[in-house]
Amino acid sequence: MTTHFYTASSLDGFIATPQDSLEWLFAQHFDQEGPMSYESFIPGIGALVMGRSTYQWLLKHQDTWEYSQPTWVFTHRQLPGIERADIRFISDDVGSSFADIHASAQGKDIWVMGGGDLAGQFADAGHLDELWIQLAPVTLGSGKALLPRNLQLELLDTSRNDDFVCAHYRVLGKLGA
Ligand SMILES: NC(=O)c1ccc[n+]([C@@H]2O[C@H](COP(=O)([O-])OP(=O)(O)OC[C@H]3O[C@@H](n4cnc5c(N)ncnc54)[C@H](OP(=O)(O)O)[C@@H]3O)[C@@H](O)[C@H]2O)c1
């Protein structure tokens, strides 16, 4: 069972603007049946994990909740759930909560959707295995960081998907450790 951080990023390492806009991302072209596509990634996923900002972004911008998997939302706030969706709010450190998240995936993989610091918390706890990054041909200058940690990665694969450079990495551990 593998924990993945699968996300799109600007070339300069931001997954959203400081105001949480993704307009720059959706202006690009990505072939959903091409290399490293969402369609090939999602069938292996048994549980989703996200932070409060990512959840609120989805609530605001998606008409319907498209995920059947248990979804763990890390937050310190009271947030609305979604009818007929399995949303589990959690306020804890990743190390303490990982066993429950792992069990909920029922043998399938875990997708940390974002943000970058939450993915970093999984790395801190030794529970982040692979990164799948779709690099958009855009620089933002500032914004929400892709993965604000010092990590050593192993490049497993690269490909082009329309406007994006796609890179797949294994997380080896802390840089210099
Ligand atoms: N480019 C892409 O493909 C992509 C993918 C995913 C997300 N995004 C976007 O990137 C942005 C990410 O925002 P973000 O960096 O602010 O990250 P985020 O992880 O979505 O949200 C951060 C918040 O999560 C809560 N949190 C994190 N760790 C916690 C813990 N251990 N316990 C309890 N609560 C915890 C805190 O919320 P509280 O305020 O509740 O304490 C924290 O302020 C969003 O705009 C999202 O839409 C982009």
Side-chain angles (χ1 to χ4, degrees), residues 87-100:
I87 311 290
R88 307 179 187 192
F89 298 105
I90 187 163
S91 175
D92 208 342
D93 62 272
V94 167
S96 309
S97 49
F98 187 76
D100 290 339

Side-chain angles (χ1 to χ4, degrees), residues 82-145:
I82 299 169
E83 211 173 317
R84 285 186 291 279
D86 183 352
I87 311 290
R88 307 179 187 192
F89 298 105
I90 187 163
S91 175
D92 208 342
D93 62 272
V94 167
S96 309
S97 49
F98 187 76
D100 290 339
I101 298 170
H102 179 280
S104 77
Q106 298 191 317
K108 290 184 135 187
D109 291 351
I110 296 168
W111 175 19
V112 181
M113 188 184 282
D117 182 71
L118 184 60
Q121 293 178 49
F122 274 74
D124 296 341
H127 292 307
L128 186 65
D129 302 307
E130 296 187 13
L131 311 182
W132 303 74
I133 310 299
Q134 298 91 42
L135 275 179
V138 168
T139 60
L140 296 174
S142 63
K144 302 297 177 78

